[in-house]
């Protein structure tokens, strides 16, 4: 599979000396949130990014989406270098789904109005097809048609996350980045949203990048995993091999801290 996304020696820093620091000749080292990271995401593939809090997972993918500018390195999408300033088509091609959909959905709009507006503004389909496309999108994420008339406050956490996924899909992206997209949900709902993401992979051929603390989730949904620590990639490879026989001690530590995965991995090895 040819890569859809290539991250090539990317470094992202925050801060550094302010004007006052410079005047007072104070030292203020910038924080290196992403440190010389390279990875490749094949078209149609699913890559999981794992690692402790603050390891730079979100910053890396926010940089891919153009929300931060890299200090060094290059990001290529379909082989072409991405600039922080993008045209509309490139922005549409990459969508992010966040942990807490409650904060990203407009509370004043019904689900239907949210999706309709998006389809109209981006002219995804001709005006006459907006209505049927909204129906299709709700079907695609398995939401009942009654949800169309509901405002976000009336929806459950799982339903809100399905709306957030429908909103991302409305723009017909090639890449969806799910950043802890199921972490705020209870276990049963989490599993159903995971199943939905797995299903969408095969029905829409969308490429997925999943950022998660949950190694089980990554193992279930992804083909390859990337382990990050302190802004750097410590290990990457096929999920099965990586979690069964980690070559980096930090990956082994992460696995040991994830009880169910540690159990299955031991069983697999017996
Ligand atoms: N906008 C910002 N300004 C300054 N520092 C930031 C900013 N965003 C992130 N950081 C810092 O960059 C580092 C990496 O943060 P990031 O959010 O990418 O980690 P993460 O791996 O996604 O963590 P988590 O698992 O908790 O979401 C952290 O030290 C964080 O405090
Ligand atoms: Mg994060």
């Amino acid at each position: 599979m040819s890569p859809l996304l290539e991250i090539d020696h990317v470094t992202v820093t925050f801060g550094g000396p302010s004007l006052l620091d410079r005047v007072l000749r104070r030292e203020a080292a910038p924080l290196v949130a992403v440190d010389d990271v390279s990875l490749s995401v094949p078209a149609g593939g699913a890559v999981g990014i794992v690692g402790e809090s603050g390891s730079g997972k979100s910053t890396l993918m926010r940089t891919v989406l153009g929300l931060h500018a890299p200090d060094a390195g290059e990001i290529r999408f379909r082989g072409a270098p991405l600039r922080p300033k993008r045209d509309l088509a490139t922005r549409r091609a990459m969508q992010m789904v966040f942990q807490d959909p409650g904060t990203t959905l407009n509370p004043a709009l019904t689900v239907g109005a949210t999706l309709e507006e998006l389809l109209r503004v981006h002219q995804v389909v001709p005006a006459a097809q907006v209505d049927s496309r909204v129906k299709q999108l709700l079907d695609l994420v398995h939401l009942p048609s009654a949800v169309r008339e509901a405002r976000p406050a009336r929806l459950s956490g799982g339903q809100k996350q399905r709306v957030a996924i429908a909103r991302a899909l409305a723009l017909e992206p090639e890449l969806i980045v799910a950043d802890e997209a199921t972490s705020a949900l209870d276990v049963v709902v989490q599993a159903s949203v995971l199943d939905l993401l797995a299903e969408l992979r095969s029905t829409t051929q969308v490429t997925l990048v999943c950022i998660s603390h949950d190694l089980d989730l990554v193992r279930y949904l992804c083909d390859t995993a990337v382990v990050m620590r302190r802004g750097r990639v410590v290990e990457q490879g096929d999920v099965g091999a990586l979690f069964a026989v980690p070559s980096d001690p930090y990956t082994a530590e992460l696995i040991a801290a994830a009880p169910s995965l540690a159990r299955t991995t031991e069983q697999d090895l017996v």
Side-chain angles (χ1 to χ4, degrees):
M1 273 188 290
S2 59
L4 177 69
L5 174 72
E6 293 158 280
I7 297 173
D8 193 359
H9 295 286
V10 164
T11 295
V12 186
T13 57
F14 291 115
S18 65
L19 189 60
L20 184 65
D21 292 327
R22 287 205 194 104
V23 170
L24 299 176
R25 293 176 193 279
R26 270 197 315 223
E27 292 279 316
L31 172 82
V32 184
V34 172
D35 190 0
D36 194 24
V37 166
S38 296
L39 63 94
S40 159
V41 180
V47 173
I49 304 182
V50 300
E52 67 198 355
S53 189
S55 56
K57 308 179 295 295
S58 299
T59 303
L60 177 67
M61 292 318 294
R62 287 170 61 86
T63 306
V64 167
L65 268 89
L67 302 169
H68 303 299
D71 295 86
E74 186 174 78
I75 303 169
R76 291 183 293 278
F77 193 68
R78 290 189 229 100
L82 277 179
R83 311 263 167 257
K85 278 211 163 140
R86 285 135 199 225
D87 57 35
L88 213 58
T90 311
R91 270 188 274 154
R92 262 184 60 179
M94 289 177 257
Q95 295 296 317
M96 205 149 170
V97 177
F98 296 95
Q99 176 168 3
D100 186 1
T103 58
T104 53
L105 294 173
N106 183 341
L109 291 185
T110 63
V111 169
T114 295
L115 296 174
E116 282 160 25
E117 186 182 88
L118 207 57
L119 294 169
R120 287 214 177 88
V121 168
H122 291 270
Q123 300 180 332
V124 181
V125 288
Q129 289 171 26
V130 165
D131 181 63
S132 61
R133 180 54 60 91
V134 170
K135 284 198 190 93
Q136 275 175 4
L137 285 165
L138 292 176
D139 271 355
L140 200 57
V141 299
H142 305 302
L143 280 170
S145 52
V147 163
R148 187 168 179 164
E149 306 310 324
R151 290 194 168 72
R154 272 194 36 214
L155 303 176
S156 70
Q159 285 177 324
K160 277 186 215 162
Q161 201 52 289
R162 283 170 195 271
V163 173
I165 295 169
R167 199 178 48 173
L169 289 171
L171 298 177
E172 299 173 359
E174 288 172 73
L175 174 72
I176 291 186
V177 178
D179 190 350
E180 300 286 356
T182 62
S183 312
L185 306 172
D186 72 51
V187 176
V188 175
V189 180
Q190 207 172 49
S192 72
V193 173
L194 272 187
D195 283 339
L196 172 64
L197 288 173
E199 184 190 315
L200 290 173
R201 262 194 83 184
S202 56
T203 52
T204 69
Q205 270 83 51
V206 72
T207 303
L208 272 183
V209 172
C210 298
I211 299 174
S212 184
H213 282 100
D214 184 343
L215 303 192
D216 273 336
L217 177 156
V218 168
R219 196 159 76 149
Y220 173 70
L221 205 57
C222 301
D223 316 315
T224 57
V226 176
V227 183
M228 285 186 71
R229 186 183 199 198
R230 295 184 188 151
R232 301 190 75 104
V233 170
V234 296
E235 190 169 358
Q236 54 182 313
D238 173 81
V239 276
L242 193 132
F243 292 145
V245 197
S247 59
D248 189 274
Y250 176 66
T251 313
E253 241 175 72
L254 280 181
I255 293 170
S260 67
L261 194 74
R263 221 181 309 120
T264 27
T265 309
E266 275 159 29
Q267 278 165 3
D268 289 349
L269 290 176
V270 168

